[in-house]
Amino acid sequence: MKESGRKQGAPSPCAACKLLRRRCAQDCVFAPYFPADEPQKFANVHKVFGASNVNKMLQELPVHQRGDAVSSMVYEANARVRDPVYGCVGAISSLQQQIDNLQTQLAMAQAEVVHLRVRQNASFSHHGFGPGSPSNSGSPSSKLTSSQAKTIFDMDMVVDQASLGESMWSY
């Protein structure tokens, strides 16, 4: 029985040899890293780096480092296909900007928590519920009237006017 016009038992060529339309030798440097079922992987690497450059790079590296080198080339090639000008630097820059924005939001949220705790503590001590207070012997909620409870838990909301129109979590 024949598979795709090849002799029975003959291995199918790797994605690199298929794209380059050449016979895939037993010792093909591309075969372990560019399997036949992933043709786009080599197509992008070939488009960005060129087959002979990739071949030279892989042959100059020790075998145990070639897999990592191919992963890096594939990542960079895919990034260059998506963004021809900046490539993976654009992706890294975008992620760094997201990290900076999220760190700013986290700092603002932490500051708001501190502000609310200070207000709550000030409100408790103003109504005689601070530590060491004689009225703190029982449950604080049992000694509060409804007007006191409203005052203690009345909180101001700080709103950043510049970001009112945008969602805090959208990226």
Side-chain angles (χ1 to χ4, degrees):
M1 175 186 249
K2 291 186 177 182
E3 291 181 17
S4 315
R6 294 178 58 96
K7 294 180 181 178
Q8 184 178 358
S12 64
C14 67
C17 291
K18 272 186 180 180
L19 184 76
L20 300 172
R21 297 180 182 181
R22 67 182 193 187
R23 188 178 148 269
C24 192
Q26 184 95 12
D27 61 343
C28 176
V29 71
F30 297 121
Y33 312 106
F34 300 104
D37 60 344
E38 297 178 16
Q40 195 60 42
K41 187 175 173 180
F42 182 75
N44 288 345
V45 169
H46 174 58
K47 185 187 288 186
V48 172
F49 297 105
S52 81
N53 288 331
V54 173
N55 187 17
K56 287 177 194 173
M57 283 189 266
L58 290 178
Q59 287 182 344
E60 289 176 3
L61 287 172
V63 176
H64 71 276
Q65 292 180 341
R66 290 180 183 176
D68 291 337
V70 168
S71 292
S72 295
M73 284 187 273
V74 168
Y75 184 83
E76 176 64 30
N78 290 338
R80 284 279 169 197
V81 167
R82 281 191 309 274
D83 184 355
V85 175
Y86 295 108
C88 69
V89 173
I92 292 168
S93 176
S94 174
L95 291 171
Q96 185 62 50
Q97 193 172 26
Q98 287 180 18
I99 289 170
D100 293 344
N101 289 338
L102 290 172
Q103 285 176 333
T104 301
Q105 289 176 4
L106 177 61
M108 290 173 55
Q110 288 171 334
E112 187 174 349
V113 166
V114 168
H115 172 74
L116 293 174
R117 284 185 180 157
V118 167
R119 283 186 52 101
Q120 185 179 24
N121 288 340
S123 182
F124 274 134
S125 62
H126 174 70
H127 291 291
F129 294 109
S133 169
S135 62
N136 199 12
S137 58
S139 168
S141 59
S142 65
K143 300 201 185 308
L144 295 177
T145 65
S146 64
S147 65
Q148 285 175 322
K150 183 178 180 190
T151 307
I152 289 174
F153 297 106
D154 184 25
M155 296 183 224
D156 291 334
M157 183 59 133
V158 178
V159 178
D160 181 12
Q161 296 295 327
S163 64
L164 272 179
E166 61 189 50
S167 171
M168 184 173 175
W169 306 110
S170 64
Y171 284 97

